[in-house]
Amino acid sequence: MDVSLTLWVLTILGLCALVAADFFIGGRKPHEVSLKEAGVWTAVWVALAGLFGLGLLVFAGGQPAGEFFAGFITEKSLSVDNLFVFVLIMAKFSVPSIYQQRVLMVGVLIALVLRAAFIGAGAAIIANFSWIFYLFGAFLIWTAWKLIQEARADEEDEEFEENRFLKLVERRFPSTDRYHGTKLFIVENGKRLMTPMLIVMLAIGTTDVLFALDSIPAIFGLTQDPYIVFTANAFALMGLRQLYFLIGGLLKKLVHLSYGLSVILGFIGVKLVLHALHESGVAVPEISIPVSLGVICVVLIVTTITSLRASAKQERAEVPEARSPEGEREQDTESARV
């Protein structure tokens, strides 16, 4: 897909306008986000992504549109995994509920800028070194296996660990021990201090870079068009803030999400390896975009259904012992003794 500089500029300006509208309409005044508000804005961002994909279908054809939708769904599903870490970050820094949406908004914008740099670097590498597909494919397959291993491990006591960048910032720049509204810096006793608000924003933005290490190669496995890669990432990330509040309570019920994501990453990894072999002149079949889109959607649907069923079964098994016949008999015996 041949994208002119003018279209790039217009796209970036359009995305900036959408972010500004999101901020001034829903995020300008700190407040607790209701499920209704989160649901409406989530639907808006999904609808905007759908309209953008339809625009590609009309003006660029079915191939770019299919690549965009496959990339968007993949990035959206992988971004849900980010929400688990975002919950840990919010708890780690004890972010008041009325400030959480502001933290997420700025954090996601930081993440989008960093991802844009990753995408630019990835596109440049792919353009000059075709063998990188072997490396991307192997990395995704390894990441898929690692996700399965982590899913099997007991992670009930999981806590957020600050990365090196955050530790460096906290060492070099003195900070306050409490929040001062949405202020990032304050002056106290003539000394300029950083507030926890800025620290947690940096935590959200820089932590997302770790997730980009697998999501960026994954979407390059679906399309090598930098424009589609960037826009799919942008639409997936910009609706992440509302998604956090919408499904925050459901995250613990998505017990099979890691397995589903591992299947998707492994599938795309195999697709990348086959593509690399094909580019090297080896007669191997390639996986088309419609097949990729179908596999991704089916895996996500099956994962969601099995997760909700497993969670419901676990909740039924965790009925308080006092409500069971054995518990009632023990309670009656204890009452008789008294």
Side-chain angles (χ1 to χ4, degrees):
M1 180 176 169
D2 187 18
V3 180
S4 65
L5 178 60
T6 302
L7 182 57
W8 269 106
V9 172
L10 290 175
T11 300
I12 294 174
L13 289 177
L15 292 173
C16 290
L18 291 174
V19 172
D22 187 6
F23 173 77
F24 284 106
I25 296 174
R28 184 178 181 182
K29 183 179 180 181
H31 65 282
E32 293 188 26
V33 179
S34 65
L35 284 178
K36 180 181 179 181
E37 179 184 348
V40 169
W41 275 103
T42 298
V44 167
W45 281 114
V46 172
L48 288 172
L51 290 174
F52 183 84
L54 291 177
L56 286 177
L57 177 62
V58 172
F59 295 103
Q63 180 74 11
E67 292 176 353
F68 171 79
F69 283 119
F72 172 74
I73 294 173
T74 300
E75 291 298 320
K76 199 70 173 178
S77 60
L78 290 172
S79 68
V80 173
D81 204 31
N82 298 21
L83 298 183
F84 287 97
V85 179
F86 290 174
V87 170
L88 296 177
I89 292 174
M90 295 295 186
K92 167 77 173 181
F93 294 96
S94 303
V95 182
S97 57
I98 62 172
Y99 301 138
Q100 288 185 4
Q101 72 160 347
R102 178 66 61 84
V103 166
L104 288 169
M105 176 176 286
V106 178
V108 166
L109 289 177
I110 294 173
L112 182 57
V113 172
L114 294 176
R115 285 200 180 203
F118 269 65
I119 292 168
I125 293 173
I126 288 173
N128 293 281
F129 306 100
S130 60
W131 52 263
I132 199 67
F133 286 115
Y134 289 108
L135 184 60
F136 279 0
F139 177 74
L140 289 179
I141 294 172
W142 175 79
T143 303
W145 173 249
K146 185 180 178 182
L147 270 178
I148 294 176
Q149 295 297 100
E150 291 177 353
R152 290 178 177 178
D154 183 10
E155 298 180 353
E156 291 183 358
D157 298 326
E158 184 179 4
E159 292 184 0
F160 170 72
E161 294 184 4
E162 297 180 1
N163 55 48
R164 293 182 179 179
F165 174 74
L166 276 182
K167 291 178 179 178
L168 176 63
V169 169
E170 292 178 320
R171 284 199 305 266
R172 298 291 297 272
F173 302 96
S175 62
T176 63
D177 57 357
R178 64 186 181 89
Y179 291 86
H180 294 265
T182 58
K183 293 181 179 179
L184 305 182
F185 293 93
I186 65 166
V187 177
E188 196 173 85
N189 298 325
K191 192 174 184 180
R192 187 177 177 84
L193 301 176
M194 181 172 57
T195 69
M197 180 66 71
L198 178 58
I199 297 174
V200 71
M201 286 176 177
L202 293 174
I204 294 289
T206 56
T207 300
D208 181 80
V209 174
L210 300 178
F211 291 95
L213 293 178
D214 55 40
S215 66
I216 297 301
I219 193 171
F220 270 116
L222 299 170
T223 175
Q224 285 81 60
D225 191 322
Y227 182 77
I228 296 177
V229 173
F230 173 74
T231 52
N233 267 272
F235 280 107
L237 278 179
M238 288 194 300
L240 192 59
R241 175 172 63 92
Q242 291 81 7
L243 196 62
Y244 172 87
F245 296 104
L246 182 63
I247 68 171
L250 295 176
L251 287 177
K252 292 183 178 180
K253 294 185 178 182
L254 299 177
V255 293
H256 296 160
L257 178 63
S258 292
Y259 293 104
L261 295 180
S262 67
V263 172
I264 292 173
L265 290 177
F267 170 77
I268 297 176
V270 172
K271 182 179 185 300
L272 273 172
V273 172
L274 291 175
H275 177 72
L277 290 171
H278 182 79
E279 291 293 313
S280 300
V282 181
V284 294
E286 285 202 89
I287 302 173
S288 65
I289 287 298
V291 172
S292 300
L293 186 57
V295 169
I296 292 167
C297 290
V298 169
V299 169
L300 290 176
I301 292 171
V302 171
T303 298
T304 302
I305 293 174
T306 58
S307 293
L308 295 178
R309 285 183 176 179
S311 297
K313 184 178 179 180
Q314 185 177 2
E315 288 177 359
R316 289 194 298 268
E318 292 176 352
V319 175
E321 187 178 343
R323 296 179 59 184
S324 66
E326 293 78 6
E328 291 177 357
R329 283 196 294 270
E330 291 178 3
Q331 197 172 34
D332 293 340
T333 303
E334 186 66 26
S335 299
R337 288 177 181 174
V338 173

